[in-house]
Amino acid sequence: MSVKANALANYAGQLYTTLIGIVVYPFYLAWMGEEAYGLVGFFIVLQAWLNLLDMGMSPTLARETARAATHQGDQWQQLRGLVRSLEVVFLGLAVVVMLLITLGSDWIATQWLEVDTLSRDEVAWCIVLMGIMIGMRWLASLYRSGIQGLERQVSLNVVNVLIATFKFLGVLLILQFVSTQPSAYFEYQIAIALLELLVLGVMFYRLLGGREMWQGFSWAVLRPVLPFAGGVAYTAGIWILMTQLDKLLLSSFLPLSEYGYFTLVVVVANAIMTLTMPISRALMPRMTALLASQEEAQMLRLYRRASQFIAATLLPVAGMVALYGGQLLYAWTGNMEAAQWGAPILLWYALGNGLLAIGAFQYYLQYAHGQLRLHVIYNTVSVLIVVPVVVVAAWQWQAIGVAIAWCGFRLLSFLLWTPFVHARFAPNIHRQWMTRDILPCAVATALMLLFYQWLGLSLWALPRPWIFASLMAMGVAILLVNAVVSSVGRDMIIRRLQERKHARASH
């Protein structure tokens, strides 16, 4: 499959799952209540923290499948041995995680979370269910990574769309006709997690081929990938610490009802990063394969075009969310209290995530080269700075404090670290990357947002559907400007015009 086909499939699948979540989350908030919705947010944070136990194995499997697919033969058989060995490790750790969360459920419900209206027993049971679901989704992530590495992302996204439909729409039927208790939500999600695990497992095994020559756990097969996996695990652990520490601390510092509002802010802010995932999933395996085939120039060309595409499409989204976050939250949920509470916090998270999405491309270079030493150093220094800042910010100023700290650190990282990585892995590319690929779209987006401010547009008085429509129209206008400003957009427009011209001439 081509990068374009995989990227389009990823975007279609991601767009569907994002939109369906946007549609149903307000129902969760309205039907379950703020505290129960806060439990959903706590589950998301807990799942992110327990990804530490992945130890870099899922990204490693994606990279090894991408490499094996270009060679087949002995490497293909070694890949099968690696899969079986990782299954043993993941299954054992999943059982341990389930047991530990079950044993600690009462303490979390009574000592960590600030619960006012929900039953403590109900909260504790929900936490037990979270542990079981995390174990199953964790094992499913191993198979998903393997499928991504084989670049069968069209089929994978078909599965993702079906699972998302059951996950989001099915639970609405449970909440509407069975029970609005949070335990009903999590019990249903466990059934969907089991279905997802079985479907992805069968799909991956079929892609690997027949059953012959399968072996059990093999340390000899696992050992060669440990250095790369260790680098990924270490950086992923630090990354989780930097991106999830604020959310974990606030789950204890904020009342569970306010944490429900904070969860809405996180969902919207994370949607910005979600828009980059489809392109990264298609980009990293292909960049790895191009380097393995000694085609570095083509890899760098792909890298720059993908960077420009993300800048042209993502910066308008981040800017609009930052500038009109309160109106967006109100139009989405119909809850004015949540909108007013979340608007100033969403501003900083949106800007920070926009910078993060562009700066993440330096990691893609290191991943493709299989050299994560600089990334390890960067994350080590970063965590020494970020952790104390976030702890103090959360303690003193709670959500607004950690949001400002997040945005400030992302700005410093983008300005100081990205050129350093480019100098190491793509010498002489940074100036062109900034001036031709990133800055034109950034400047165009900023000017359009200033123009909207100059117009003095007020959306609060509009009906909620009209707020959505207005924000959509304003965002599309910025996207159209960026399509003209960016060379990728201009090339596409010129090519389409030439195709139409040739088509008319042929007639």
Side-chain angles (χ1 to χ4, degrees):
M1 297 295 296
S2 68
V3 173
K4 182 178 180 180
N6 281 330
L8 288 175
N10 287 338
Y11 267 111
Q14 196 70 64
L15 180 63
Y16 177 82
T17 55
T18 300
L19 288 177
I20 198 172
I22 288 173
V23 170
V24 303
Y25 279 137
F27 291 99
Y28 293 172
L29 180 64
W31 293 352
M32 298 172 66
E34 289 86 353
E35 280 201 333
Y37 188 70
L39 277 179
V40 176
F42 178 71
F43 165 69
I44 296 171
V45 174
L46 185 63
Q47 184 173 240
W49 275 91
L50 289 175
N51 281 337
L52 288 171
L53 296 178
D54 181 278
M55 299 180 295
M57 292 302 179
S58 291
T60 299
L61 179 61
R63 185 171 186 272
E64 292 302 311
T65 52
R67 288 164 56 87
T70 62
H71 295 88
Q72 298 288 328
D74 293 339
Q75 279 199 332
W76 196 253
Q77 183 57 33
Q78 290 177 2
L79 176 63
R80 292 178 173 181
L82 178 62
V83 170
R84 183 54 52 86
S85 301
L86 290 177
E87 283 178 327
V88 173
V89 174
F90 269 56
L91 183 60
L93 289 175
V95 171
V96 172
V97 166
M98 293 177 189
L99 290 175
L100 290 177
I101 292 179
T102 299
L103 293 175
S105 58
D106 287 332
W107 181 86
I108 296 173
T110 56
Q111 302 298 319
W112 183 263
L113 299 175
E114 291 190 27
V115 182
D116 293 326
T117 59
L118 291 175
S119 163
R120 303 283 176 165
D121 291 338
E122 174 78 4
V123 174
W125 173 237
C126 288
I127 293 169
V128 172
L129 297 174
M130 292 179 195
I132 298 172
M133 190 172 4
I134 286 171
M136 289 190 290
R137 287 186 177 178
W138 188 20
L139 186 56
S141 70
L142 181 69
Y143 300 131
R144 178 177 283 107
S145 295
I147 297 169
Q148 289 170 357
L150 292 171
E151 299 190 63
R152 300 302 180 93
Q153 295 170 30
V154 174
S155 300
L156 179 59
N157 277 282
V158 172
V159 173
N160 289 341
V161 165
L162 292 175
I163 294 296
T165 301
F166 286 118
K167 184 187 300 183
F168 287 109
L169 296 184
V171 78
L172 289 181
L173 299 177
I174 299 296
L175 295 176
Q176 178 70 17
F177 299 108
V178 179
S179 173
T180 57
Q181 290 295 310
S183 57
Y185 170 89
F186 287 107
E187 287 165 355
Y188 174 79
Q189 295 296 346
I190 280 183
I192 301 304
L194 178 60
L195 174 65
E196 181 180 27
L197 173 61
L198 294 175
V199 171
L200 291 177
V202 170
M203 181 178 176
F204 184 48
Y205 266 70
R206 286 184 175 177
L207 290 173
L208 287 180
R211 302 172 58 90
E212 70 278 359
M213 300 179 65
W214 280 95
Q215 58 187 25
F217 178 85
S218 173
W219 178 251
V221 174
L222 196 58
R223 186 188 299 114
V225 303
L226 290 181
F228 181 81
V232 174
Y234 181 76
T235 55
I238 292 179
W239 177 249
I240 290 172
L241 186 62
M242 288 195 299
T243 59
Q244 300 297 326
L245 179 63
D246 55 344
K247 300 168 185 63
L248 183 64
L249 292 174
L250 291 175
S251 70
S252 183
F253 290 161
L254 294 175
L256 197 56
S257 57
E258 285 191 10
Y259 194 72
Y261 295 153
F262 179 70
T263 299
L264 294 173
V265 171
V266 171
V267 168
V268 176
N270 285 350
I272 297 171
M273 285 302 300
T274 299
L275 293 174
T276 69
M277 291 180 184
I279 193 70
S280 67
R281 289 170 182 166
L283 190 63
M284 288 193 289
R286 182 53 57 92
M287 288 175 62
T288 301
L290 288 173
L291 277 180
S293 302
Q294 306 297 318
E295 298 182 50
E296 184 175 5
Q298 188 175 347
M299 184 275 291
L300 290 177
R301 181 175 179 272
L302 175 63
Y303 171 81
R304 287 192 57 190
R305 291 180 67 84
S307 299
Q308 190 173 145
F309 176 78
I310 288 296
T313 56
L314 191 87
L315 292 179
V317 176
M320 289 293 298
V321 171
L323 198 60
Y324 297 100
Q327 294 93 322
L328 178 61
L329 287 172
Y330 172 68
W332 180 33
T333 65
N335 190 318
M336 183 62 74
E337 183 178 352
Q340 293 176 342
W341 188 94
I345 301 165
L346 183 55
L347 183 152
W348 297 104
Y349 270 115
L351 293 177
N353 280 4
L355 289 167
L356 174 60
I358 304 298
F361 275 79
Q362 52 83 21
Y363 172 73
Y364 304 159
L365 271 179
Q366 297 174 74
Y367 177 94
H369 282 272
Q371 300 177 27
L372 298 177
R373 179 174 175 272
L374 286 182
H375 199 60
V376 169
I377 295 172
Y378 161 76
N379 280 291
T380 302
V381 174
S382 296
V383 78
L384 294 175
I385 298 172
V386 170
V387 168
V389 171
V390 168
V391 171
V392 172
W395 181 41
Q396 292 290 331
W397 301 287
Q398 296 189 341
I400 189 65
V402 297
I404 294 173
W406 168 252
C407 183
F409 183 75
R410 295 269 56 93
L411 177 61
L412 287 175
S413 296
F414 179 78
L415 294 176
L416 300 179
W417 184 246
T418 304
F420 185 78
V421 174
H422 280 160
R424 171 64 179 82
F425 291 96
N428 304 319
I429 199 179
H430 183 71
R431 178 175 296 180
Q432 291 184 341
W433 185 81
M434 281 292 294
T435 58
R436 298 185 182 181
D437 301 335
I438 306 301
L439 280 180
C441 296
V443 172
T445 299
L447 290 176
M448 287 292 291
L449 292 174
L450 288 174
F451 174 69
Y452 292 154
Q453 287 293 94
W454 176 77
L455 290 177
L457 299 174
S458 177
L459 304 179
W460 287 107
L462 296 176
R464 289 168 56 197
W466 283 103
I467 295 177
F468 263 128
S470 300
L471 293 175
M472 183 70 69
M474 293 159 67
V476 169
I478 303 178
L479 285 173
L480 292 175
V481 171
N482 281 349
V484 176
V485 168
S486 65
S487 62
V488 170
R490 290 197 305 272
D491 290 345
M492 291 178 63
I493 293 172
I494 292 172
R495 187 165 57 249
R496 290 293 175 87
L497 291 175
Q498 289 176 343
E499 289 175 355
R500 289 186 179 182
K501 182 178 179 180
H502 291 317
R504 289 175 181 174
S506 63
H507 290 306

